[in-house]
Amino acid sequence: RPGGGAGGAGGGRGSGPYGRGRRGFEPPPRKRFIDYPRWNKHGMRRWVPSWKLVLGSFAGFLGLIIGLSGIALAMVGKPNVNEATKQQKNVYYWSDNTQMVVAGGGDQNRQIVPLAQIPKAMQSAVISAENESFYDDPGVDPIGIVRAVGRMALGGDTQSGSTITQQYVKNAYLDQSQTLTRKFKELFISIKVGATDEKDEILEGYLNTGYYGRGAYGIQAAAQAYYRKDAKELNASQCAFLSATLNGPNLYDPAGGVGSAATPDKNLERAKNRWSWTLDRMVKTGRLSSSDRAKYTSFPRPKPPRKSTELKGQKGYMVETVNNYITANSNISEGRLKRGGLRIHTTFDKKKMAEMEAAVERVRKANIDPKKRNVDKYVQFGGASVKPKDGAIVAMYGGEDATTHFTNNADYTGVQVGSTFKPFVLAAAMRDGVRDPNGPEVQGRDARTPVSPKSVYNGDNKLKLRNYDRSIWRNEKGKEWRQRNDGNESRGRISLREAMQYSVNTPYIQLGMDVGVDKVRQSALDAGLNEDSLARSTPTLSLGTSAPSAIRMANAYGTFASSGMKSEPYSVTRVEENGEDLYNHQKQVKSAFEARVADNVTNVLETVVQDGTGTTARQLGRPAAGKTGTTDDNKSAWFTGYTPQLSTSIGMWRVNDKAKTQRFQKMYGVGGQDSIHGASFPAEIWTKYMTGALQGSAAKPFPTPEPIGEPVFGAGASPSPTPTPSDTPSEDPSQDPSQPPTQSPSPTESCDNPFTCNDQGQDGGNDQGQTGGNDQGQTGGNDQGQTGGNDQGQDGGTDNGNDNGGLFGGPGGTRERD
């Protein structure tokens, strides 16, 4: 307003109905379709949308979603079910890429049956347990899908969030992957299937395409696999159990599944709980009467699984190992694997597999005869061979025949490994050190002293176990523990090297206490054992109460063979489909121990082979390190050892795998021997196998270990003013253990089994036994025994330095642990 003052009419900022622009008052803008930013607001209010704008935007977004969904539904067609469920076989290849076995489709006995031949009880069990509103819902559960998508987007565990219709679509039209793309496909196809197909058709399709385990797709195949009958003959109790297997047969098949969490006992317990819950749900949803429910009080235990004949011998165990590895280490599901069509390249070496099977069978045929000796029944062997610093499983022995013996003896069996666990104790002592009860605290922790193999401990029998501060250890009931040695033998003051060499228990259980059982446990884990296989953290952990598989033991010893470099064991290098790779193994190697720790463990284990309990393996004729192991009551025996190129573990035990309740049985008298030791049949098999497996490869020496740690003295083994030569540990931890012992078998005597011969046996017998016997035994006997005997025994003794039993003496005696 020309000439207008600041206080004139309409002269204030923002006065009047339209506000004021930079050049005075301006008329309102032309009407806009979307008034944003808002023209008649100032400051932050200009950017706050009106309710009309909010409502309009929401309506537009909803319309867009509906429109896009309509377009998507129109574009998505319903795939051909028969084409989608067509199965092929998998082809498995040896490590040299030659064909090993064709398998997969033969195990998948899918037989489509109409809904009329599927018991109403089966239909009711699945609906009651999985989707109570099946006959009323539109076929999808949007909330469940959103929840599952959200969890996947956040990187959490996958969830199906699925109705029966969605599960049917996933089985018949899609794959089992848990991805956003697959979820959206599942949603749209499920909506279309739910709108176009009858509910009975969907239910029939779901029951005919679901995977029930044991290679069975569909209810008819499942009925045959678990109960050897047609689906229409199943009762409500059996149907309730089979409906549980649809949730994951690996965890519900009473015969057991993959991993330590899926043992037969654990699976049986889960199956019983789910079976009972399902029957109760059927009653609650009105699909089973209470009176009929009352009839079913006993769990309908299924029959043992059957294998197809194409997987006879070791092939079935190899395929099982490979399949387990794939499902555990890739995005390839068990269902996808069972549908076939994959080319699977394995790590198994054809020549080495043949050598291992032949070695076991030669020893079995020559010594085990159930017709001759009842105690020879149920003898089992298991073994595995792994490349150090790589982890590739090149050979394994799972049992006599995968179609008759269903437990893979190379994998987890629950068999304790005994003294083959002691190297992990020694590694912990070298790396972490023993706790000094009189030493100063360092940053609030007990002072520790890394030990050397020259350290001296008390090797007497039945010593009281002590805490690291020398106080007597007591269990939760306040009782003391007195550890026994093999054959109740007392060794006196003995170095850790010698205690390993002759597998003396008392030094190593006390060493474990001095280091700390938690450190021993961690040492085993770092070497390559898995947590589930380890026993409770009690003192006897150090003596091998754990039950790792042969595969894990071979791989863990391979960590020592590779100077402390740990690798994860694997059996698959590549999986391909139609020329495209679905999986490629990525080598995983990392440092678990310093080289000087691992190399000193190896050096000590070389002593075991050259002049200790493992001298059978000396016949290999090249540098080798290993350890024997035998458990309480002679229930299992092991030999695990390695060269720089190959690490192998062989185990032996007795168990009736067909018994309803399986128990490990004693092996006294097996093969005509008083007792079975790791140094006998397991070491013999190991030597035969390794000789053949390494034939043609150059012998390699182990690295010379650097000096490590300090000599320490355990409880009751304080320094002597005039230590004797035999009790003084070696001054050179890297001494050459390849030198032969001072006493060798007489060349004029023939002895096929040096552990049971009467005269001049290298490792036993009545006369001149190197490590036992009645007369002139190097470490025991009545006369001139170096560490036992009545006369001239260096450390004394009462009678027969080894109690006349086990590896170090003649017949009789009770073997505690080798």
Side-chain angles (χ1 to χ4, degrees):
R1 181 169 58 85
R13 177 179 292 275
S15 61
Y18 306 124
R20 182 180 178 90
R22 286 181 299 173
R23 297 182 180 180
F25 294 102
E26 295 179 354
R30 296 176 62 183
K31 188 173 183 180
R32 296 182 293 175
F33 181 73
I34 299 177
D35 182 21
Y36 193 80
R38 299 169 71 182
W39 73 272
N40 62 340
K41 303 294 182 184
H42 301 281
M44 291 300 297
R45 296 178 64 191
R46 283 172 54 82
W47 304 97
V48 178
S50 66
W51 66 270
K52 293 180 180 179
L53 182 60
V54 173
L55 185 61
S57 298
F58 178 78
F61 179 77
L62 185 62
L64 178 64
I65 293 298
I66 293 174
L68 292 175
S69 298
I71 294 172
L73 280 172
M75 294 179 63
V76 171
K78 191 171 69 171
N80 187 306
V81 175
N82 291 328
E83 288 296 321
T85 56
K86 187 176 294 184
Q87 298 181 17
Q88 303 177 59
K89 293 195 180 265
N90 293 322
V91 183
Y92 298 79
Y93 296 90
W94 294 102
S95 59
D96 63 359
N97 288 323
T98 58
Q99 184 172 301
M100 181 174 78
V101 65
V102 177
D107 281 345
Q108 302 165 21
N109 182 23
R110 185 199 301 277
Q111 300 171 11
I112 305 298
V113 292
L115 194 64
Q117 294 184 22
I118 300 176
K120 275 287 184 182
M122 187 65 200
Q123 303 172 40
S124 297
V126 170
I127 292 172
S128 299
E130 297 186 27
N131 187 186
E132 180 182 350
S133 62
F134 169 71
Y135 279 103
D136 301 315
D137 64 37
V140 295
D141 178 9
I143 295 177
I145 291 178
V146 170
R147 181 172 61 248
V149 169
R151 288 180 64 85
M152 285 189 293
L154 294 174
D157 296 332
T158 57
Q159 291 183 341
S160 65
S162 301
T163 63
I164 285 177
T165 302
Q166 289 173 256
Q167 290 287 346
Y168 166 58
V169 166
K170 182 169 62 176
N171 292 340
Y173 304 109
L174 302 172
D175 57 33
Q176 303 293 317
S177 63
Q178 296 287 344
T179 63
L180 293 175
T181 301
R182 207 274 296 153
K183 281 290 181 185
F184 282 116
K185 286 182 180 179
E186 175 187 313
L187 174 63
F188 290 120
I189 296 176
S190 297
I191 293 173
K192 179 154 285 190
V193 169
T196 59
D197 291 10
E198 294 292 332
K199 288 289 186 179
D200 283 349
E201 294 176 10
I202 296 171
L203 183 60
E204 176 183 305
Y206 175 56
L207 294 174
N208 275 306
T209 57
Y211 180 59
Y212 297 76
R214 300 191 180 186
Y217 281 84
I219 184 60
Q220 173 65 15
Q224 288 289 342
Y226 286 93
Y227 293 110
R228 312 286 195 266
K229 60 172 65 174
D230 291 333
K232 61 184 178 182
E233 298 172 356
L234 297 170
N235 60 37
S237 180
Q238 294 166 336
C239 290
F241 162 71
L242 289 177
S243 72
T245 63
L246 286 167
N247 288 276
N250 186 63
L251 296 177
Y252 288 95
D253 186 346
V258 180
S260 57
T263 63
D265 289 340
K266 292 177 181 178
N267 279 15
L268 178 60
E269 185 66 22
R270 268 190 293 267
K272 285 182 177 180
N273 292 336
R274 181 76 179 187
W275 160 78
S276 179
W277 176 84
T278 300
L279 289 174
D280 292 339
R281 281 287 299 164
M282 292 168 69
V283 174
K284 186 175 181 179
T285 58
R287 290 180 169 85
L288 182 69
S289 67
S290 298
S291 59
D292 285 340
R293 170 65 180 92
K295 298 176 184 177
Y296 304 118
T297 58
S298 298
F299 177 70
R301 189 155 187 158
K303 296 182 181 297
R306 292 186 299 191
K307 298 273 187 177
S308 61
T309 56
E310 66 189 2
L311 298 177
K312 286 179 68 67
Q314 298 305 304
K315 289 182 178 179
Y317 301 121
M318 288 189 288
V319 168
E320 178 185 292
T321 301
V322 165
N323 290 349
N324 291 346
Y325 181 84
I326 289 173
T327 56
N329 295 277
S330 74
N331 293 324
I332 302 171
S333 68
E334 184 179 6
R336 174 64 194 88
L337 190 64
K338 291 293 185 180
R339 284 203 303 273
L342 305 178
R343 294 178 178 272
I344 301 169
H345 300 265
T346 79
T347 60
F348 294 115
D349 184 290
K350 186 189 304 183
K351 176 179 179 292
K352 290 180 174 63
M353 277 294 305
E355 290 288 350
M356 181 167 284
E357 185 174 13
V360 174
E361 294 309 318
R362 281 200 299 269
V363 171
R364 182 195 299 276
K365 185 176 181 180
N367 300 280
I368 309 302
D369 188 353
K371 296 180 179 179
K372 183 177 180 180
R373 289 176 295 270
N374 191 62
V375 74
D376 283 5
K377 290 182 178 178
Y378 315 130
V379 171
Q380 302 287 340
F381 293 95
S385 193
V386 176
K387 283 185 181 179
K389 207 174 182 178
D390 181 271
I393 306 170
V394 296
M396 56 180 284
Y397 186 86
E400 289 189 77
D401 190 334
T403 62
T404 58
H405 173 70
F406 306 126
T407 300
N408 185 350
N409 291 345
D411 209 338
Y412 179 81
T413 58
V415 179
Q416 295 181 0
V417 295
S419 289
T420 55
F421 197 87
K422 287 175 182 173
F424 307 124
V425 185
L426 182 60
M430 290 177 175
R431 179 181 68 178
D432 302 308
V434 296
R435 294 169 287 186
D436 184 356
N438 300 315
E441 288 191 351
V442 180
Q443 296 181 349
R445 298 182 180 178
D446 294 319
R448 287 181 174 271
T449 303
V451 307
S452 80
K454 297 182 289 186
S455 298
V456 177
Y457 270 70
N458 192 337
D460 283 341
N461 186 48
K462 294 184 179 179
L463 288 177
K464 290 183 180 180
L465 184 63
R466 296 180 181 272
N467 297 302
Y468 81 96
D469 62 2
R470 301 297 190 260
S471 62
I472 296 175
W473 181 86
R474 299 178 187 274
N475 63 16
E476 61 275 9
K477 297 181 180 179
K479 295 183 178 180
E480 300 176 355
W481 177 263
R482 289 179 178 267
Q483 181 58 47
R484 298 175 62 192
N485 285 329
D486 175 50
N488 291 317
E489 182 183 37
S490 288
R491 284 277 184 167
R493 296 169 63 252
I494 188 172
S495 72
L496 293 180
R497 177 184 295 275
E498 291 173 305
M500 185 77 77
Q501 180 179 352
Y502 298 113
S503 203
V504 187
N505 289 330
T506 47
Y508 274 91
I509 193 172
Q510 186 60 56
L511 179 64
M513 296 297 289
D514 294 348
V515 175
V517 177
D518 59 326
K519 299 293 186 183
V520 172
R521 188 183 195 89
Q522 190 59 51
S523 172
L525 293 173
D526 291 343
L529 303 189
N530 50 2
E531 181 72 43
D532 290 345
S533 69
L534 295 183
R536 293 186 304 118
S537 293
T538 61
T540 55
L541 175 77
S542 298
L543 298 183
T545 53
S546 298
S549 67
I551 291 173
R552 284 286 175 179
M553 283 298 291
N555 190 66
Y557 270 49
T559 300
F560 299 132
S562 57
S563 295
M565 300 302 295
K566 171 191 173 183
S567 55
E568 282 296 312
Y570 67 101
S571 57
V572 179
T573 58
R574 183 163 60 98
V575 179
E576 59 174 315
E577 180 183 27
N578 298 325
E580 294 186 6
D581 287 350
L582 301 183
Y583 170 79
N584 269 293
H585 172 73
Q586 301 298 319
K587 193 173 181 179
Q588 302 176 22
V589 180
K590 63 180 182 180
S591 177
F593 300 96
E594 291 183 61
R596 61 176 184 163
V597 171
D599 292 343
N600 271 281
V601 171
T602 294
N603 184 256
V604 171
L605 295 183
E606 282 188 279
T607 308
V608 175
V609 172
Q610 291 300 322
D611 194 20
T613 60
T615 52
T616 299
R618 193 170 56 189
Q619 299 171 25
L620 183 62
R622 62 172 70 204
K627 183 70 186 76
T628 55
T630 307
T631 57
D632 289 346
D633 278 336
N634 210 217
K635 290 182 178 179
S636 63
W638 291 82
F639 186 81
T640 303
Y642 53 91
T643 67
Q645 303 103 314
L646 202 57
S647 179
T648 302
S649 183
I650 301 293
M652 177 182 178
W653 57 90
R654 283 186 71 218
V655 64
N656 180 4
D657 62 319
K658 304 297 191 299
K660 185 175 182 180
T661 301
Q662 296 185 17
R663 295 186 177 89
F664 295 110
Q665 301 179 29
K666 301 176 183 179
M667 294 193 292
Y668 297 114
V670 167
Q673 298 197 6
D674 293 330
S675 57
I676 300 300
H677 315 124
S680 54
F681 297 145
E684 185 180 350
I685 292 171
W686 185 94
T687 305
K688 290 181 183 298
Y689 161 71
M690 292 287 281
T691 300
L694 294 171
Q695 187 176 12
S697 64
K700 294 183 179 180
F702 290 110
T704 300
E706 298 179 10
I708 191 171
E710 299 178 19
V712 300
F713 294 86
S718 57
S720 171
T722 56
T724 58
S726 64
D727 283 340
T728 301
S730 169
E731 292 300 322
D732 181 10
S734 62
Q735 62 179 325
D736 182 8
S738 63
Q739 297 300 318
T742 57
Q743 186 172 353
S744 59
S746 169
T748 61
E749 296 290 333
S750 174
C751 178
D752 293 332
N753 191 336
F755 300 97
T756 57
C757 294
N758 290 326
D759 297 320
Q760 300 179 344
Q762 182 180 7
D763 293 291
N766 292 325
D767 299 319
Q768 299 180 350
Q770 183 184 13
T771 56
N774 290 327
D775 298 318
Q776 300 179 354
Q778 185 182 31
T779 58
N782 290 328
D783 300 317
Q784 301 179 355
Q786 186 181 41
T787 58
N790 289 327
D791 300 319
Q792 302 179 4
Q794 187 177 51
D795 292 319
T798 301
D799 183 35
N800 295 337
N802 191 29
D803 200 34
N804 281 336
L807 178 63
F808 299 97
T814 301
R815 185 179 188 81
E816 178 67 10
R817 184 179 285 108
D818 165 90

